[in-house]
Amino acid sequence: MKAFLPLLVLLAPLGAQAVSGSWAADATGVTLETGGVRGESPSLRAVNPPAANARVTSVNWRYQLLAGAPAGLQVQLCTLSQCLSLGAGSGRSEAFNGMPADSEFRFVYFVQSRGALNPPLRAISNQVIVNYE
């Protein structure tokens, strides 16, 4: 038994480490026909929620528009407590670091203009990949 004690001491820290993982969710986008109106994607959440003590380390996002982005387009990725302005259709951020890993995300679309959008803004897909520990 004494021969195994050094091995157990070396392996103990491995058992104490947090389990890391990720979850992904996607949903259809929104259609905005008028400027100055805010549109939200359906909720994006984990199908199998991580452990209650798991925390976000980073989030990858991707959204796709049917046509080119209209002038004045603003897109945000939001949880119930904070939003991140997205400068591109895909990317990675640590802005949600430390939040519960089972947080709900939504994409929020807004076109800063007045009147009808021609063509309408059509976000055809939204996706998040949430990495956690």
Side-chain angles (χ1 to χ4, degrees), residues 15-16 19 28 34 36 41 46 65 68-69 74 78 101 111-112 115 122 127:
V19 176
T28 56
T34 307
S41 74
L65 305 177
Q74 299 171 7
C78 298
V111 179
Q112 194 168 7
R122 285 188 169 61
Q127 181 185 49

Side-chain angles (χ1 to χ4, degrees), residues 93-125:
S93 176
E94 295 177 0
F96 300 102
N97 191 14
M99 295 187 73
D102 63 351
S103 294
E104 174 182 314
F105 289 85
R106 291 182 190 273
F107 285 82
V108 177
Y109 296 86
F110 180 81
V111 179
Q112 194 168 7
S113 70
R114 295 184 185 264
L117 298 176
N118 190 12
L121 171 74
R122 285 188 169 61
I124 57 175
S125 68

Side-chain angles (χ1 to χ4, degrees), residues 1-2 9 16 20 27-28 34 44 49 51 66 73 76 83 87 89 95 97 114 123:
M1 186 67 168
K2 285 185 178 182
V9 170
S20 61
T28 56
T34 307
L44 299 164
L66 183 62
L73 175 63
Q76 296 179 318
C83 289
N97 191 14
R114 295 184 185 264

Side-chain angles (χ1 to χ4, degrees), residues 12-19:
L14 295 176
Q17 290 179 347
V19 176

